[in-house]
Amino acid sequence: MASPRLFRSLVVLSLLAAPLTVATSTAEATPLQSGGVVNFGCATSGKMQSGKMHCLGKAVRSPNGNGPLVVSTPVGYGPAEIQAAYNLGGLHANGRTVAIVDAQDAPTAEADLAKFRSARGLSPCTTANGCFKKVNQNGAASPLPAPDYGWAEEISLDLDAVSATCPDCHILLVEANSPDTDPLMTAVDTAAATPGVVAISNSYGGSEDSTILAADAHLNHPGIAVTASSGDSGYGVSWPASSPYVTAVGGTTLKKATTTPRGWTETAWSGSGSGCSTLEAKPAWQHDTGCAKRTVADVSAVADPATGLGVYDTYNSCGTSSWCDFLLSLGLAQGADGWVQVGGTSLSSPVIASVYALAGNAVTSGSYPYAHTSGLYDVTSGSNGSCGGSYLCTAGAGYDGPTGLGTPNGTSGF
């Protein structure tokens, strides 16, 4: 049992470390700036393991410790910023569905989504009104997989990213039993077989190995856009982003800029994955010369947590008290308890999937943007690592690895 002196010291520390309250409106929010980022801590560690996937989200870290910075009011970018930056305002999905594939269960997913949408001025998206549906990897409402705090945070990010980009999209959440290739691919097939689904987002990745070529068949769903995060550890390739059947989505740093006609600037995010696949054949629609096989990425969107989306997540290991918030900030508890500013290519993948839903085209693989580059903002600066200064890790005019062909300028590129 802690001594009275130690207990008083901890109480003082908890008061000093109380979460920041950032006043915002539903129309505009200011991204938080802090000392770095923290991984979500999904059930599979960040280290690439054969046949294992890890989620690709990161949160702004608390300046008081090694956990996420959790605050009581909306932070970061929201629907207004995402839609303005990518010229999506006033567009509608007309009942189309974006499917989100993740591992494990998020018990508070629907309640947290409701809080996000209410705070951001969006209409409800619920099971009752037919907008939201959560199923297991086989498409049934139960039994659901075992819950996981990290994957729940990933799920909140994915659901909120779809809502911010495409407010009237229906959302199907398919939860795989575990972060292993086979359950996740079963979940992808379930999503593709669900009527109304036009896009499927996969915000996870793992190492390329001898199993991926056989698993590619589960990503091949003509008429449905399948997106995959390119990675959040900088230069290097992961799967399923390297599959020729997906749109591999890289990441950018997105900032407001009153001096540009667009009103925004973008540079390659340093964490964006890119490079040459060692196993996947080069698609016929990809013509860059630096990779004999498949090149990652195809397109991109905001991913830098420092310019990230504010999401709402309350599934954690410690409850709802200020003491819980303190433990979360130190990294001594798991999950979140309120608003968290997040990024990673876990953010850019559902954003791009939602743009596909807004576009409403029956796409096949990631080829469509390559024939419609006029519908993209070219990202021409920034880097994600060292590759001899080539386009594979350094953004420049035209195609490059970290940002692909660029970011959405409306929906004509999708």
Side-chain angles (χ1 to χ4, degrees), residues 61-250:
R61 187 175 65 197
S62 169
N64 304 308
N66 295 317
L69 177 57
V70 181
V71 297
S72 59
T73 56
V75 293
Y77 292 148
E81 290 78 22
I82 297 298
Q83 292 169 44
Y86 296 126
N87 194 22
L88 303 173
L91 302 180
H92 299 281
N94 300 316
R96 302 182 193 107
T97 299
V98 175
I100 296 299
V101 171
D102 281 308
Q104 312 297 137
D105 179 39
T108 61
E110 185 167 2
D112 289 344
L113 176 62
K115 176 70 174 183
F116 173 87
R117 293 180 69 98
S118 175
R120 296 299 197 181
L122 305 179
S123 60
C125 184
T126 66
T127 301
N129 69 16
C131 175
F132 175 74
K133 186 176 183 180
K134 179 170 78 168
V135 297
N136 63 25
Q137 66 183 42
N138 298 312
S142 64
L144 294 172
D148 179 80
Y149 302 114
W151 279 101
E153 196 166 357
E154 174 63 49
I155 288 169
S156 290
L157 163 56
D158 293 338
L159 300 181
D160 294 354
V162 174
S163 296
T165 310
C166 178
D168 72 333
C169 277
H170 290 192
I171 306 174
L172 172 68
L173 171 60
V174 187
E175 298 180 334
N177 288 343
S178 69
D180 298 278
T181 301
D182 288 347
L184 285 164
M185 292 303 100
T186 297
V188 171
D189 288 336
T190 292
T194 302
V197 170
V198 298
I200 303 170
S201 177
N202 303 274
S203 291
Y204 53 84
S207 61
E208 290 193 320
D209 58 35
S210 59
T211 68
I212 65 172
L213 298 181
D216 276 337
H218 299 282
L219 300 165
N220 183 14
H221 296 286
I224 297 176
V226 181
T227 65
S229 302
S230 73
D232 61 2
S233 299
Y235 181 62
V237 171
S238 66
W239 185 90
S242 63
S243 171
Y245 299 116
V246 310
T247 298
V249 186

Side-chain angles (χ1 to χ4, degrees), residues 245-340:
Y245 299 116
V246 310
T247 298
V249 186
T252 67
T253 298
L254 174 70
K255 295 182 178 180
K256 292 184 178 180
T258 56
T259 58
T260 65
R262 178 187 171 191
W264 300 83
T265 61
E266 284 183 281
T267 58
W269 175 50
S270 61
S272 179
S274 70
C276 304
S277 171
T278 60
L279 296 173
E280 300 281 11
K282 197 168 197 68
W285 34 266
Q286 207 170 44
H287 302 293
D288 64 297
T289 59
C291 292
K293 296 185 181 295
R294 169 78 155 111
T295 312
V296 173
D298 296 313
V299 295
S300 54
V302 59
D304 187 344
T307 64
L309 182 72
V311 307
Y312 191 79
D313 178 52
T314 60
Y315 185 58
N316 61 62
S317 61
C318 56
T320 60
S321 65
S322 59
W323 180 249
C324 175
D325 294 340
F326 177 50
L327 295 177
L328 288 167
S329 72
L330 294 180
L332 299 178
Q334 296 176 284
D337 182 30
W339 291 92
V340 185

